């Protein structure tokens, strides 16, 4: 059974999809803990699904490195096979990358390397592109520049707003994430090999 720790900042709708998938006895992975960098709405999913939660508030630490060290300690306690950044809206410091990558993966609401950063959906709309996408990557020390695990194109429709477009991207992110977790668990995907190539 693959052990996942999922880190969030927001509502955790992609996390919910992972928790729903894990509820199936046949699914070869379990979310063993949910963590956040703030008082995130999605932490409530812990109680709903009976999964432990923790919070390492970014603002409680003097700098990013100190926050990262505290985050490493909390995450490592759960001995995860994979750490999923599912809407964690913070750059993690190098120590976090060293501790968990390449078993540290991140969903992103754009077709990387297009539109990296915190506003992938907004930036795609502002650029006036006719298609954007969803990506799942290995986290390295770049901003959303790590090896691509999976990605898919999604059209931008006339009249799309940031929220309507994001609402169409998220189900694709969920599918890519769940498939990747399955592939890792079934040893069809080797993150170490992907990161080396
Ligand atoms: C997801 O679209 C995720 O890819 C994005 O935040 C959203 C979280 O939604 N992450 C980033 O933009 C990271 N740069 P959720 O809280 O509803 O799952």
């Amino acid at each position: 059974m693959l052990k996942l720790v999922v880190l969030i900042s927001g509502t955790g709708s992609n996390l919910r999809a992972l928790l729903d998938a894990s509820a199936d006895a046949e699914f070869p992975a379990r979310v063993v803990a949910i963590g956040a960098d703030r008082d995130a709405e999605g932490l409530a999913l812990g109680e709903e699904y009976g999964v432990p939660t923790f919070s390492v508030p970014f603002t409680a630490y003097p700098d990013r490195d100190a926050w990262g060290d505290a985050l490493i300690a909390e995450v490592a306690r759960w001995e995860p096979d994979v750490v999923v950044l599912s809407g964690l809206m913070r750059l993690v410091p190098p120590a976090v990358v060293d501790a968990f990558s390449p078993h540290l993966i991140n969903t992103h609401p754009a077709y990387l390397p297009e539109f990296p950063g915190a506003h992938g959906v907004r930036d795609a709309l502002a650029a006036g592109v006719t298609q954007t996408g969803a990506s799942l990557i290995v986290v390295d020390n770049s901003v959303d520049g790590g090896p691509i695990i999976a990605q898919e194109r999604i059209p931008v429709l006339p009249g799309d707003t940031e929220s309507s477009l994001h609402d169409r991207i998220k189900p694709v992110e969920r599918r890519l994430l769940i498939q990747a977790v399955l592939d890792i668990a079934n040893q069809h995907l080797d993150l170490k090999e992907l990161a080396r190539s």
Side-chain angles (χ1 to χ4, degrees), residues 10-15 86-87 89 107-109 117-118 144 166 170 173:
T11 55
S13 63
N14 289 353
L15 162 64
S86 185
M89 301 307 285
T107 60
H108 185 75
D144 295 327
H166 206 165
K170 282 187 185 184
E173 290 184 305

Side-chain angles (χ1 to χ4, degrees), residues 108-110 114-125 132 162 165 169:
H108 185 75
E114 299 167 7
F115 312 115
H119 304 291
V121 182
R122 192 185 304 171
D123 293 346
L125 270 180
T132 181
E162 187 175 353
L165 180 55
I169 291 172

Side-chain angles (χ1 to χ4, degrees), residues 4-60:
L4 310 175
V5 168
V6 181
L7 301 180
I8 59 168
S9 295
T11 55
S13 63
N14 289 353
L15 162 64
R16 182 186 284 281
L18 210 45
L19 290 164
D20 284 338
S22 306
D24 181 344
E26 306 272 295
F27 193 72
R30 291 288 173 269
V31 178
V32 294
I34 301 163
D37 64 327
R38 63 191 75 176
D39 187 18
E41 194 185 324
L43 284 175
L45 293 175
E47 194 171 343
E48 191 178 334
Y49 286 82
V51 175
T53 62
F54 60 87
S55 173
V56 185
F58 185 80
T59 50

